[in-house]
Amino acid sequence: MSAPMFDVAVVGGGVMGATTALMLARGGLRTVILDRGPLCREASGVNAGTLTLHMTRASLIPYAVRGHELWLSADQWLGRGVAAVSTEGLSLAFTPAEEEMLHARAAARREYGAPIEIVPASRARAVEPGLSDQVRLAAYCPIDGFASSYLTGRAYREALVEAGAVVREGAAVIGVDSGDGGFSLRIAGAEPVRARRLVLAGGVWLEEMLGWLGLRIPVKCLINQLVVTERLRPVMRTVLSVANGLLSLKQFANGTVLIGGGWQGIGDPKRGGVQTIPENLIGNTRLARWVIPALAETRVARIWLGLEAETADAMPMIGAVPGVPDAFVIGSVHSGYTSGPYMGRLLADLILGREPERPLFDPSRLLEPQAAPALT
Amino acid sequence: MSLRIGHTVDRPGAVTITVDGTPVSAHPGESVAAALFAAGRRRLRESPRAGAPRGMFCLMGACQECVVIVGGRRVPACQTPVSEGLAVTTGVPW
Amino acid sequence: MSGAYDLIVLGAGPAGVGAAVTARSHGLSVLVVDENETTGGQVYRATPQAFATRADAPANPDKKEGAGQRQSLLASGAAVAFRHSVWQVSPGYRVDAVGQGGPVHWSAPAVIAATGTTERVVPFPGWTLPGVIGLAAATILLKSQQMLPGRRPVIAGCGPLLAAVAVAVLDGGGKPAAVLDLSGPGDWLAALPALASRPDLALRGLGWVVRLKAAGVPVHFRTGIAAVRETADGLAVTPCRVDADRRPLPDGAGQDIETDCVAVGHGLTPGTEITRLLRARHRFDAALGGWVAEHDADFRTSLPGLYVAGDGAGISGAAAAHLQGQLAGLAVARDLGRLGADAHETAAAPVRKRLAAAQRFGRAMARLMALRPAHAASVAPDTVVCRCEDVTRGEIDEAVAAGARDVNQLKAWTRCGMGPCQGRMCGETAASLVAEAVGSRGAAGLWTGRAPLRPVPMDLLTGDFTYADIPLPKAAPL
């Protein structure tokens, strides 16, 4: 008896892959999703959960706005929420140079529909009374929020199972062969999985995955540091960032404060996040304390590192894999957690033969010329 | 009756710390956790989710159950030595 | 304070002292870091420096050994950083700590993690009540603070600490209301052959038993705690008979015991925070207390320059820990080229021989204290397992039933182990429950190591600074 032929196999169980798989399964395709670990335990489960427009790449604002809506309504369409909260957001300037940057960045994001306005420090402190008195200027956005990203895996797992998708956690795909009108995925220590269509959604591992199909698209790996404090009395209510994008700060309902912003640690796709760089930890926490002085009262409870994928032009790749029929790729979305559910829907629409409501991001622009011959 | 064992060591003269404003007698060398335990003040905080009473547990700085506020800072009481006038706030509510 | 050394020893218990003194004797520059105010770790924990030991205080072999080790470290010329809490160890190696003066860091090509153990307590209703403390906590009160855990405490759990604490309570003028030992006389008999390897300790143990009997302290074997509840003036313990796997017997509950304190401990588990943080290879061995860093006969881990010694390398007791420290210290001297192969062998061979005997005893004790899966499985659904986050057994079961297949996934789904103790209190029970579903502790995995090793006060970490002191990286893309 030969192995069953799935309509589609999704490799990579983060938000992008899991949403795509969920929508495909709900669209009637016989779907399998594979991850070498548990679902949403890499970037999708360890990121800062920031649902902000202040840190989103300007041209991705329309996608992020839809993503924001989807996270806030996740209990309806996903079945289980991720403790998403809608609040306001402030981006702050502490120097004249940052004021300029704030103006320029707010204007660029406004152009793409973000309702961001520049406000004086006094207004910022009225919105967020715990703010430092060092703030010179702020950008205010009524659309902001945050989620508890560690809840993502459980929510998607239950939804996928409910939708009839086959969830293969702990199944490491190590290569892909073509034939029989489809793809055969080689799995470490297990029988191959066969499917007519293939979706690669492997985050920072996409470069290697695209290599299985003979394509070369470099994917840079950022090692983002995250810091969470112990519980603390309520000291803030909004999402805070700084003009240059190097801070994200929010306090969860349980009182813990999450400090992010993309300060770098040591790691790579092979080993994952390996080590915190002490200077970067101190820098990141100083910046947080500079913004909300009351953070001096608490203690750092835990530090970890999340891997983020970035293409050569720092824009996403979402769409058909060039030269390989029935193969698709999704990933490398800046602030990808925010817009992830929306991006997954768009790709699922493409695969299901529906017109996606917004343009995708053709990966062929990123192909390196010396690409090896396509899959044989 | 005191929990302090008397026949093995000579303790320095007692100092007074305040716990939530109330004076508590203690001896230099004692940790805040042990001094409060000996004074019968075992309940140090409430658990954040269930609101259940908690007190010192591991006494070696691992469990974090005995966290109190001293000098505006959260510290494990078991790792904090007493000193004259030390002001301790229990009931870290978060 | 900062600086570079040949070797940094983390932990100043018997293993750390053995390592530091040995490495110093071969000319290495050594720094020893510990959270406490002096050497001894938990086993030889000293009375506070402010206390003066009375001339007529009864002799105590542990105290003597601890004082001897303290002297040997001071005489060795090793640098010491007491009352410093290490929050990060980076490859290479760099050690970051906070002391009362703020953040400090040191570097060395070699690090020995001699971080001892965490006590395991398998939850029961009431284990979170104030007045219920660890058995190891009771020993710290008695040894260091010279304080009784209670006038009439209930002392419960397993292993040699039970009798040691009970006798120390008698010595201190109290009288235990009861000793509840999960082991049966047969379990102790099974350990006898190994006890013969340390007649001094075996005799001491026998002396304890005689002492308890003479004092009329009730000792109940094969008995655990069904529940503890608060009463008007203290606590009431409901004891419960257990079977050989430490599973409560259906009709095993006994008469409530009134008490003023419950000291309970179900064995020790190796402190692997540093080796996990550095991603050394680990293996699970229930007889050694749980997960341990893999190491060779000279206590080298899978990572060059990183060594382990003492109970953190597998529960073996204080005597073995000191010898393991010496072997690790010799290995560092050898690996840094300060000791030739022959000289190393000459120095190590007699230590290895003594270690074999010491380990035999220590590991027999460790086996008595090893976690029995049936014990963890007996935790009731509404009992809190994770103290920091108030996560109950029922919530863990629900997550496991929904597909959580290792401890880190369980943590993300339930917050079990996500609190400030970083899973030190709940880890063993939670992992045992996951293992029931996925087949083995190996499959259930171990918590990913994370900095900080202890919560770090933000004000100490960040220090005094201005905006210009924040090394802002280049701006994120727009």
Side-chain angles (χ1 to χ4, degrees):
Chain A
M1 199 180 84
S2 68
M5 177 68 98
F6 287 98
D7 293 326
V8 59
V10 178
V11 185
V15 171
M16 307 279 170
T19 311
T20 308
L22 180 63
M23 296 304 152
L24 293 177
R26 287 183 182 166
L29 297 195
R30 202 164 167 213
T31 304
V32 59
I33 179 166
L34 305 103
D35 198 292
R36 60 176 193 162
L39 291 185
C40 299
R41 282 308 299 150
E42 297 289 352
S44 298
V46 304
N47 70 83
T50 312
L51 307 178
T52 190
L53 304 184
H54 280 305
M55 297 171 77
T56 300
R57 299 214 60 193
S59 60
L60 298 182
I61 295 274
Y63 301 82
V65 170
R66 288 286 289 124
H68 183 278
E69 292 165 10
L70 285 170
W71 280 125
L72 284 162
S73 60
D75 51 341
Q76 290 149 45
W77 66 268
L78 189 56
R80 178 188 272 270
V82 291
V85 171
S86 180
T87 181
E88 299 148 287
L90 288 165
S91 181
L92 310 168
F94 294 100
T95 65
E98 288 176 356
E99 287 183 50
E100 252 175 66
M101 190 184 270
L102 204 60
H103 276 294
R105 294 192 156 208
R109 290 188 171 110
R110 257 197 313 271
E111 214 169 289
Y112 284 94
I116 296 175
E117 57 174 311
I118 298 293
V119 299
S122 56
R123 166 87 191 283
R125 272 198 297 280
V127 171
E128 183 60 273
L131 269 189
S132 151
D133 56 11
Q134 302 289 318
V135 174
R136 297 172 65 97
L137 194 70
Y140 169 83
C141 184
I143 302 175
D144 212 311
F146 52 86
S148 291
S149 69
Y150 57 83
L151 299 172
T152 312
R154 186 173 193 173
Y156 271 98
R157 196 180 192 286
E158 291 184 3
L160 283 160
V161 169
E162 171 77 26
V166 173
V167 177
R168 292 279 303 270
E169 292 174 300
V173 179
I174 51 176
V176 174
D177 303 301
S178 74
D180 300 342
F183 301 92
S184 177
L185 282 60
R186 280 178 266 141
I187 316 286
E191 290 299 305
V193 168
R194 299 191 309 135
R196 290 193 179 82
R197 300 179 194 82
L198 176 66
V199 176
L200 300 178
V204 298
W205 297 274
L206 272 179
E207 181 175 320
E208 183 193 339
M209 290 182 180
L210 287 161
W212 298 337
L213 303 178
L215 275 72
R216 162 113 185 104
I217 294 180
V219 175
K220 188 177 156 194
C221 177
L222 307 176
I223 314 292
N224 295 330
Q225 166 185 282
L226 295 113
V227 181
V228 72
T229 72
E230 279 187 279
R231 288 175 166 84
L232 176 68
R233 67 187 169 88
V235 296
M236 58 181 290
R237 47 170 289 273
T238 62
V239 172
L240 296 174
S241 57
V242 292
N244 59 22
L246 293 165
L247 180 74
S248 73
L249 198 57
K250 82 248 336 163
Q251 184 170 28
F252 294 105
N254 66 16
T256 61
V257 174
L258 186 59
I259 304 168
W263 291 61
Q264 295 294 289
I266 297 167
D268 54 53
K270 223 177 196 77
R271 299 177 298 163
V274 178
Q275 278 289 331
T276 309
I277 299 171
E279 283 78 8
N280 285 358
L281 174 73
I282 291 168
N284 198 177
T285 49
R286 278 183 171 177
L287 187 53
R289 183 181 165 190
W290 189 261
V291 168
I292 296 286
L295 289 179
E297 295 168 21
T298 189
R299 299 190 296 177
V300 171
R302 198 177 285 263
I303 307 158
W304 66 98
L305 299 164
L307 273 48
E308 183 178 6
E310 193 177 272
T311 59
D313 61 7
M315 287 294 283
M317 52 176 160
I318 304 176
V321 173
V324 185
D326 297 322
F328 304 85
V329 63
I330 179 167
S332 297
V333 183
H334 200 265
S335 298
Y337 188 76
T338 309
S339 52
Y342 186 57
M343 298 298 192
R345 281 176 181 230
L346 293 178
L347 182 63
D349 283 342
L350 178 77
I351 294 170
L352 291 168
R354 304 169 186 153
E355 179 65 24
E357 123 189 340
R358 284 190 181 279
L360 297 180
F361 304 84
D362 187 357
S364 60
R365 74 182 195 281
L366 301 161
L367 266 179
E368 292 230 319
Q370 68 273 31
L375 191 72
T376 52
Chain B
M1 206 148 89
S2 173
L3 293 176
R4 292 184 176 86
I5 299 169
H7 63 281
T8 50
V9 291
D10 289 319
R11 294 175 172 81
V15 295
T16 302
I17 63 173
T18 64
V19 182
D20 305 324
T22 309
V24 169
S25 178
H27 293 275
E30 290 178 346
S31 68
V32 169
L36 296 193
F37 192 79
R41 298 194 58 135
R42 298 185 170 193
R43 188 176 178 142
L44 299 181
R45 46 185 281 279
E46 289 177 353
S47 67
R49 193 169 150 215
R54 296 290 170 84
M56 73 172 197
F57 185 67
C58 83
L59 226 57
M60 52 179 95
C63 76
Q64 309 297 322
E65 289 281 31
C66 68
V67 165
V68 293
I69 294 175
V70 172
R73 186 182 294 158
R74 297 160 67 102
V75 294
C78 69
Q79 305 293 93
T80 307
V82 301
S83 59
E84 178 63 43
L86 191 83
V88 178
T89 306
T90 69
V92 173
W94 312 283
Chain C
M1 185 161 49
S2 68
Y5 296 85
D6 293 326
L7 168 65
I8 298 174
V9 179
L10 302 175
V17 170
V21 171
T22 303
R24 274 297 302 145
S25 74
H26 292 284
L28 277 67
S29 61
V30 178
L31 171 71
V32 181
V33 190
D34 197 286
E35 281 175 335
N36 296 297
E37 72 169 8
T38 183
T39 62
Q42 305 307 341
V43 62
Y44 300 136
R45 190 137 155 162
T47 50
Q49 281 158 6
F51 289 13
T53 302
R54 287 169 63 150
D56 58 349
N60 175 329
D62 281 350
K63 212 172 155 112
K64 200 171 150 218
E65 177 65 26
Q69 291 191 8
R70 195 161 305 121
Q71 270 313 312
S72 72
L73 182 70
L74 292 179
S76 75
V80 293
F82 292 120
R83 293 192 58 78
H84 277 77
S85 180
V86 172
W87 61 268
Q88 158 103 335
V89 182
S90 318
Y93 287 86
R94 169 177 158 151
V95 174
D96 278 83
V98 285
Q100 292 313 297
V104 287
H105 61 88
W106 309 281
S107 62
V111 165
I112 298 178
T115 48
T117 71
T118 304
E119 187 167 54
R120 175 195 305 120
V121 180
V122 178
F124 49 83
W127 79 301
T128 56
L129 288 171
V132 179
I133 66 172
L135 204 48
T139 68
I140 292 166
L141 275 181
L142 288 158
K143 277 188 211 175
S144 169
Q145 301 282 309
Q146 296 291 308
M147 195 177 278
L148 293 169
R151 306 297 311 174
R152 47 187 174 94
V154 168
I155 296 159
C158 53
L161 268 186
L162 287 175
V165 167
V167 167
V169 168
L170 285 176
D171 287 343
K175 183 178 172 188
V179 174
L180 311 178
D181 190 344
L182 285 171
S183 305
D187 301 313
W188 285 98
L189 280 176
L192 264 187
L195 299 190
S197 66
R198 283 298 301 274
D200 56 329
L201 294 181
L203 269 178
R204 196 168 157 204
L206 193 63
W208 289 340
V209 175
V210 171
R211 202 50 224 293
L212 292 176
K213 181 112 185 142
V217 174
V219 178
H220 302 285
F221 288 109
R222 288 262 163 94
T223 303
I225 295 177
V228 176
R229 60 187 169 79
E230 275 181 314
T231 62
D233 58 350
L235 299 167
V237 178
T238 309
C240 186
R241 302 264 303 153
V242 299
D243 67 15
D245 293 325
R246 302 182 175 172
R247 188 182 289 110
L249 294 174
D251 300 315
Q255 283 265 311
D256 280 5
I257 305 166
E258 300 286 324
T259 185
D260 53 353
C261 175
V262 178
V264 56
H266 298 130
L268 305 172
T269 190
T272 54
E273 294 87 348
I274 289 166
T275 48
R276 276 187 286 127
L277 181 65
L278 289 164
R279 309 284 186 265
R281 273 203 308 275
H282 290 74
R283 68 188 177 90
F284 180 79
D285 187 338
L288 290 179
W291 286 93
V292 290
E294 289 182 11
H295 60 78
D296 69 8
D298 289 318
F299 295 87
R300 297 178 183 92
T301 68
S302 60
L303 300 177
L306 181 65
Y307 307 74
V308 286
D311 281 347
I315 307 301
S316 332
H322 193 56
L323 298 167
Q324 292 176 355
Q326 292 176 8
L327 286 175
L330 287 172
V332 173
R334 170 83 191 97
D335 296 346
L336 292 182
R338 307 294 181 82
L339 199 55
D342 291 347
H344 175 260
E345 194 48 40
T346 306
V351 184
R352 289 201 193 108
K353 207 168 154 193
R354 290 168 62 205
L355 176 61
Q359 265 180 191
R360 217 167 145 236
F361 180 85
R363 298 217 167 140
M365 295 299 102
R367 276 193 295 278
L368 274 177
M369 297 187 286
L371 177 63
R372 311 296 196 269
H375 186 194
S378 72
V379 175
D382 54 357
T383 298
V384 163
V385 172
C386 169
R387 301 173 66 106
C388 297
E389 299 292 327
D390 283 319
V391 180
T392 63
R393 161 78 191 268
E395 289 171 294
I396 292 172
D397 284 350
E398 194 197 335
V400 169
R405 38 193 290 285
D406 72 51
V407 292
N408 293 302
Q409 201 173 14
L410 175 75
K411 179 164 80 178
W413 287 16
T414 63
R415 292 187 66 86
C416 179
M418 213 184 260
C421 93
Q422 301 194 322
R424 285 175 176 90
M425 298 298 116
C426 62
E428 281 276 287
T429 303
S432 191
L433 295 173
V434 175
E436 294 254 314
V438 299
S440 70
R441 283 290 297 270
L446 72 174
W447 303 128
T448 304
R450 299 276 188 225
L453 295 160
R454 291 271 197 263
V456 188
M458 278 279 274
D459 61 341
L460 285 182
L461 180 68
T462 51
D464 286 327
F465 67 98
T466 68
Y467 196 61
D469 297 324
I470 304 172
L472 289 173
K474 75 175 173 63
L478 174 62

